[in-house]
Amino acid sequence: KQAIHYTDVAPVVLIGAVIQGANNPLNYLVGAGERGGLAVNPESVREMALAWGDTILSRVYAGWAAGFQDWSRQELTAALEALREEGVLDYVAGHPRVVLEQLARDLQAHPEWMQ
C-alpha cells in the first residue's frame, strides 16, 4: 500500500553473507556518522573478515544504491576490495536489488550452505 504514495520501500543499503553459526559478524561494519548519516569503519570490515572468515560460507553481498551517501559506499567497497586482493574474502557489490538477485542465484548453486 505504501507504493501508492510513491514511497520507496526497497532497501538502500544491505550487507549480507551466508554464515555458519548464529552470530552475526556484520553488525558493526556500518554505524552512525557524525551528522547522523551512515559511516563505514574500514578497520571493522577488516577485523570482521579476519576474526570470522572461517565461518563465512559465501561471498559478502554489499548492496548500496548509488546516490545515497556515496562516500560511505566507496569506503565499504574499498575495504572489501583490499580484503579480496589479500585473498581474505570475496564480495559482490552494486545496487541492492542486483546484489540480492546474485545472492539468490548463489543460494541455488550452493544448497550445502543451507544444511
Side-chain angles (χ1 to χ4, degrees):
K1 286 269 193 187
Q2 291 177 339
I4 64 172
H5 302 291
Y6 301 110
T7 301
D8 189 359
V9 295
V12 178
V13 175
L14 72 88
I15 303 172
V18 179
I19 308 291
Q20 181 181 24
N23 287 322
N24 180 3
L26 308 174
N27 274 342
Y28 303 105
L29 304 187
V30 178
E34 293 177 13
R35 297 186 211 165
L38 299 180
V40 173
N41 182 341
E43 187 53 37
S44 292
V45 176
R46 180 171 188 70
E47 183 176 83
M48 175 280 302
L50 295 175
W52 293 97
D54 61 332
T55 67
I56 299 173
L57 302 177
S58 68
R59 299 183 276 185
V60 172
Y61 299 88
W64 198 301
F68 177 74
Q69 298 186 5
D70 290 328
W71 61 90
S72 292
R73 177 185 178 173
Q74 292 169 351
E75 283 185 328
L76 177 61
T77 304
L80 292 171
E81 184 60 31
L83 292 166
R84 174 192 277 165
E85 289 174 3
E86 293 175 35
V88 175
L89 61 75
D90 195 10
Y91 73 98
V92 175
H95 188 277
R97 182 173 185 206
V98 174
V99 169
L100 285 172
E101 288 172 345
Q102 183 60 55
L103 172 58
R105 286 191 296 274
D106 289 351
L107 286 169
Q108 285 182 327
H110 296 279
E112 71 276 9
W113 290 350
M114 304 310 287
Q115 295 179 1

